[in-house]
Amino acid sequence: MTYATSAAEASFQDVRLHSKTVSFSEIPIVDVGPLIDGSDPQKVADEIGHICENIGFLYIKNHGVAKELIEAVYAQTEAFFDLPLAEKEKLNIINSGQTLRGYIPMYGENVDPENTRDFKECFDFGKDEQEVSPFFGPNLMPEQPEGFRETMDQYHGEMMKLARKLISAIALSLGLPADYFEKLQQKPITIQRLLHYPPQDGAISQEEIGIGAHTDYGFLTILSQDAVGGLQVQNRDGDWVSAPPVEDSFIVNIGDLVQTFTNDRYISTVHRVINASGKERYSVPFFIDLDFDAEVSVVPTCQSEENPAKYETYTCGQHKYKRFVDSYVHLTN
């Protein structure tokens, strides 16, 4: 892939879609090699903690996921979305029941439904299991392209390993044991998503963009994006900042659960996608949460008499399912 230094952006008539392109120093790049190999996890944890307090998004490099596997995932992703619509519709997420996996057609999910229709199509899967419960069960996998299931299962496994390393760093950054969150993630909800954003041209307005402004529902997101760009992040001043692709990196951001755990010390950052490049855009986000019944409450190191807990305890699955009801048309019919 050849990477641009910034996201291509049209001259939007809708001023609500304007963003600025900034140097990478505003969305920092962290070398997580010392976390992955165990040589200095605290150093990486301190960097991640500082970024989570001030930005909420970061690029990571030296993450240990093979470039060849990532390229294979993109090849399979493009081939899947090139299938006839009738073939993809056989795997529609509405056929998966509570498992909530499969193909999501254009406008099937809208994360900011009061303001935006999402101009994208998705495919969701997770760890394949026979027993069905909310967010768990069998995957709806296509027969074509050949090798799709094997490639995606391998990638999901790599994301699980990387996510657990990053979550241990978040724990360390909060002055907690590295394994603090493991007891809440014995069988975590995970979603491996494939995304296709067709290009938009002409007068683009907020009412229909790639994906509307939102925070992520869960604990942590690890995003691979192609060379096209289009991701925008809202900074602490309320300005939209472009997050251009950086070769051989992932983008990592924390979700709503971490904001609760940290009593707003770490913020779940608002972001959106606008594909005005004139090209097809593909991205591959991995979402990891907690066990369905795991309780979410402010950790001891983020509360005191002077700074009491701002949140009532809730369960992960309860929070996530509510957000899905808000986003998916078929869950409200």
Side-chain angles (χ1 to χ4, degrees), residues 274-319:
I274 307 169
N275 182 16
S277 66
K279 303 175 183 177
E280 309 296 320
R281 179 184 191 267
Y282 301 92
S283 68
V284 185
F286 172 81
F287 306 99
I288 185 168
D289 306 328
L290 308 175
D291 300 341
F292 189 89
D293 293 326
E295 292 189 345
V296 185
S297 58
V298 177
V299 300
T301 56
C302 291
Q303 58 178 305
S304 64
E305 286 187 16
E306 296 77 25
N307 182 34
K310 302 174 185 177
Y311 295 95
E312 298 287 337
T313 299
Y314 59 87
T315 64
C316 171
Q318 183 183 54
H319 167 76

Side-chain angles (χ1 to χ4, degrees), residues 1 69-80 82 145 148 152:
M1 298 179 187
L69 176 58
I70 297 169
E71 289 176 346
V73 167
Y74 275 99
Q76 295 281 3
T77 297
E78 292 185 35
F80 171 77
D82 281 344
F148 183 91
M152 297 307 170

Side-chain angles (χ1 to χ4, degrees), residues 145-217:
E146 185 177 352
F148 183 91
R149 179 189 292 270
E150 293 77 12
T151 299
M152 297 307 170
D153 284 349
Q154 184 182 355
Y155 189 74
H156 182 271
E158 288 297 304
M159 288 296 101
M160 283 292 294
K161 289 192 291 186
L162 178 57
R164 290 194 182 279
K165 288 282 189 178
L166 293 169
I167 291 167
S168 73
I170 290 173
L172 288 173
S173 77
L174 297 168
L176 299 166
D179 62 355
Y180 182 86
F181 293 108
E182 285 186 14
K183 63 182 179 294
L184 304 175
Q185 293 177 313
Q186 297 298 300
K187 186 184 174 183
I189 298 168
T190 64
I191 296 176
Q192 180 62 67
R193 169 165 283 194
L194 313 177
L195 277 163
H196 170 222
Y197 298 94
Q200 290 183 267
D201 52 22
I204 303 172
S205 73
Q206 182 176 284
E207 281 65 42
E208 185 168 297
I209 58 175
I211 187 168
H214 67 288
T215 59
D216 285 346
Y217 313 154

Side-chain angles (χ1 to χ4, degrees), residues 1 3 27-28 56-61 63 65 70 73-74 77 120 122-124 155 158-160 162-163 166 191-197 211 214 216 219-233 241-255 269-274 281-288:
M1 298 179 187
Y3 282 76
I27 302 178
F57 267 71
L58 61 146
Y59 298 91
I60 62 169
K61 65 178 183 178
H63 44 70
V65 182
I70 297 169
V73 167
Y74 275 99
T77 297
K120 70 183 193 306
C122 322
F123 183 80
D124 286 356
Y155 189 74
E158 288 297 304
M159 288 296 101
M160 283 292 294
L162 178 57
L166 293 169
I191 296 176
Q192 180 62 67
R193 169 165 283 194
L194 313 177
L195 277 163
H196 170 222
Y197 298 94
I211 187 168
H214 67 288
D216 285 346
F219 195 103
L220 190 77
T221 303
I222 305 172
L223 171 72
S224 173
Q225 57 174 341
D226 67 8
V228 172
L231 175 64
Q232 297 180 0
V233 178
V241 176
S242 294
V246 176
E247 192 168 7
D248 297 328
S249 76
F250 292 117
I251 288 181
V252 173
N253 66 278
I254 55 175
T269 305
V270 178
H271 51 287
R272 67 188 181 188
V273 171
I274 307 169
R281 179 184 191 267
Y282 301 92
S283 68
V284 185
F286 172 81
F287 306 99
I288 185 168

